[in-house]
Amino acid sequence: FVLMGPSGSGKSVLLKHIVGLEQPSSGRVLVDGRDASREDTREHVHMALVFQAGALFNSLSVYDNLALYPREHQVASEAGIREKVMRALQILSIEGAAEKSPSELSGGMKKRVAIARDLVMEPQLMLYDEPTSELDPVMSATISEIIATLKDEYHVTSIVVSHDRDLALAIADRVGILMGGKLVFLGTPAELQAPKDPRIADFLNPKI
């Protein structure tokens, strides 16, 4: 599910509500029928958020960034953690970056490491906040392919917040358009290409 919309429409705020980082002032956010603000919801549905800037710890190597969660939660032995970490790095084709510092990586590599770190958590639901922002077209296409692969081969449900029309058309099963905190469109990528609402047409094809 790809969620699009102008800046300030509430896309990133919605992601934070889904993972329980923020509480709604009214109404409820439900995940699998459960209130997202409750701790037991996150125990029932394992979620991971890929932040826009990656949110990697520069004081830790790439390997230790990925190992942080399983170590903190003691989900496996050190040997088991290494297996999980290296598997995630392999899936993202970045095994060679394991001992590097995040400061040594390009923007695209940081995005891949951030996705790999969340994959170590074995989530059922992955949320991506602007995964292709500030990337060149080639790396944007690579990240799009990675998101699609995780969905198709590893059965990870994905919610992607993005301004990237090409990403939405390439990977989405469904697309939503958020404007002013309201969902003004919900449909398939094919339906998105022929919107009836002029606001959506202007957003997708802005006039210079």
Side-chain angles (χ1 to χ4, degrees):
F1 180 69
V2 176
L3 184 64
M4 305 178 73
S7 297
S9 58
K11 305 183 300 298
S12 297
V13 172
L14 178 58
L15 290 187
K16 292 176 182 177
H17 279 76
I18 291 172
V19 297
L21 292 176
E22 293 187 10
Q23 307 294 322
S25 55
S26 63
R28 290 190 302 162
V29 176
L30 302 178
V31 178
D32 197 25
R34 296 167 178 256
D35 193 321
S37 65
R38 292 174 56 91
E39 184 65 33
D40 58 2
T41 297
R42 290 183 290 283
E43 294 173 1
H44 176 74
V45 181
H46 295 161
M47 294 179 267
L49 173 59
V50 180
F51 291 91
Q52 183 173 343
L56 301 174
F57 293 100
N58 284 322
S59 59
L60 301 176
S61 68
V62 166
Y63 179 93
D64 287 332
N65 265 279
L66 269 66
L68 184 62
Y69 175 87
R71 282 172 176 164
E72 288 286 323
H73 293 267
Q74 300 179 339
V75 300
S77 65
E78 194 61 34
I81 290 172
R82 180 169 184 79
E83 183 178 344
K84 289 176 181 290
V85 168
M86 296 311 295
R87 173 63 174 153
L89 292 173
Q90 181 182 25
I91 290 170
L92 275 295
S93 301
I94 50 174
E95 305 100 305
E99 299 307 320
K100 291 186 177 181
S101 164
S103 62
E104 299 177 78
L105 305 179
S106 66
M109 284 290 285
K110 287 180 181 177
K111 292 283 177 84
R112 291 163 83 166
V113 171
I115 294 171
R117 180 182 58 184
D118 283 3
L119 202 57
V120 169
M121 298 166 63
E122 299 179 349
Q124 297 159 283
L125 173 61
M126 289 269 284
L127 302 105
Y128 302 83
D129 191 4
E130 296 287 1
T132 58
S133 67
E134 300 179 7
L135 299 181
D136 62 55
V138 174
M139 184 52 68
S140 292
T142 298
I143 296 297
S144 299
E145 290 173 7
I146 288 169
I147 295 171
T149 298
L150 293 181
K151 179 197 73 169
D152 294 335
E153 296 186 18
Y154 300 95
H155 309 294
V156 178
T157 298
S158 302
I159 299 177
V160 182
V161 159
S162 180
H163 284 93
D164 191 335
R165 180 174 179 268
D166 291 336
L167 173 111
L169 295 177
I171 70 169
D173 295 304
R174 291 189 302 154
V175 182
I177 304 287
L178 198 64
M179 291 185 173
K182 296 185 181 298
L183 198 63
V184 297
F185 172 86
L186 182 62
T188 66
E191 291 168 334
L192 181 67
Q193 295 186 73
K196 297 177 182 178
D197 189 326
R199 295 174 300 170
I200 299 172
D202 288 343
F203 168 69
L204 294 174
N205 299 289
K207 298 178 177 64
I208 300 175

